Amino acid sequence: MLRRLGAIVASTLLTTVPKSFTKQTAFYKMSTSAYSIVERGSPYSLDYRVFLRGPNGFISPFHDIPLYADKEQRIFNMVVEIPRWTNAKMEINKEERLNPIKQDVKKEKPRYVDNCFPHHGYIWNYGALPQTWEDPNHIDSNTQAKGDNDPIDVCEIGFKVHAQGSVVQVKVLGCFALIDEGETDWKILAIDVTDPLAKQLNDLSDIEQHLPGFLHASREWFKVYKIPQGKPANQFAFNGEPKNRDFALNIIDETHRYWTALMSQQGQAADISTHNTTVTGSATKIEQEDAQAIVDQAPPLGPAQPIPVEVDRWHYIRL
């Protein structure tokens, strides 16, 4: 069951409008209800791709989904790449047109994260904030390390297991500053606005109060998850201490400015496809006919490939 959480019927509608929110604009309602996925290729294979559709056709989850679901309330859109408890290392593909979600590749094979006891797979719904970019040409003043060339990562800590490709509205609570192989890799901590705890969680300190041990477990997960592959423990800025909501919001604003520069061709990223279908003024905006052709070039949805048995192995880490 856990293995198939990432494989959803093509074109399934993935988000709903939270009933508890009565003051959202029409745009906010559109952003919560209008996204679906189209799968191509075979899950857990090198050709598997998850394309996203918006209200008017195919979109890039990197560039076309607005960063904000509600700017006034500081509610963000999050694209779920990896459902909680799963191991397949799925990510928005920066290089391909329309930036479909695909499984990362290591040594020409689909990549999975190891289970570092007592953790199984990812311990949050893991994904990215659209319209953000950690600029690899910028040395962050907080970490003294360059950006990792990706949209900013999000760990959604609510109780639901969200489907791959879901667009979830989240409240930001704080962040970790991971230094991954010498690069700044911010990890935003957030919660689904429809989660029962969302009203009680408003900042970093609330996580420890209502979810005791969760911050420690999250820091440990990021520190050790590459050790089974023979790599050293990851390092953190700020001695591994997470930063609060206001700090995280400033980081998000900064990475959004870098994305804006990228799309206006002021940023330098030769390996990123900026093709999109909705960004006004973008030189790489394409029509739906071209977007459909990109999707049609991918192989049809096929049966899921077997997950290697070693993915279920426990790894016991001694630091």
Side-chain angles (χ1 to χ4, degrees), residues 39-42 45 47-49 51 295-302:
E39 294 176 280
R40 290 289 185 266
S42 296
S45 75
D47 66 5
Y48 184 59
R49 300 291 185 273
F51 293 93
V295 177
D296 289 344
Q297 288 173 4
L301 178 63

Side-chain angles (χ1 to χ4, degrees), residues 6 25 47 66 70 108 123 148 151 157 162 179 185 199 207 240:
T25 63
D47 66 5
D70 187 320
E108 301 183 352
I123 62 174
D148 71 351
I157 67 174
H162 287 290
I179 308 300
D185 190 4
K199 291 183 179 180
I207 299 178

Side-chain angles (χ1 to χ4, degrees), residues 51-66:
F51 293 93
L52 267 70
R53 291 180 61 95
N56 298 310
F58 286 104
I59 58 172
S60 160
F62 191 172
H63 307 304
D64 287 308
I65 297 173

Side-chain angles (χ1 to χ4, degrees), residues 26 43 261 284:
T284 49

Side-chain angles (χ1 to χ4, degrees), residues 188-248:
I188 301 296
L189 301 168
I191 188 166
D192 179 348
V193 296
T194 68
D195 191 90
L197 282 176
K199 291 183 179 180
Q200 300 175 64
L201 301 182
N202 296 295
D203 211 325
L204 187 70
S205 59
D206 298 324
I207 299 178
E208 189 60 31
Q209 178 181 352
H210 295 282
L211 304 173
F214 197 88
L215 291 174
H216 172 78
S218 296
R219 178 171 50 241
E220 179 183 78
W221 193 99
F222 282 120
K223 185 173 184 177
V224 306
Y225 82 102
K226 289 186 177 181
I227 290 179
Q229 299 301 317
K231 294 186 177 182
N234 277 323
Q235 303 299 311
F236 296 85
F238 313 115
N239 295 316
E241 293 302 315
K243 306 299 283 185
N244 66 14
R245 170 182 166 84
D246 285 342
F247 186 97

Side-chain angles (χ1 to χ4, degrees), residues 83-94:
R84 190 173 72 236
W85 308 138
T86 62
N87 298 76
K89 181 69 172 70
M90 308 297 296
E91 59 186 13
I92 292 172
N93 187 296
K94 305 187 304 288

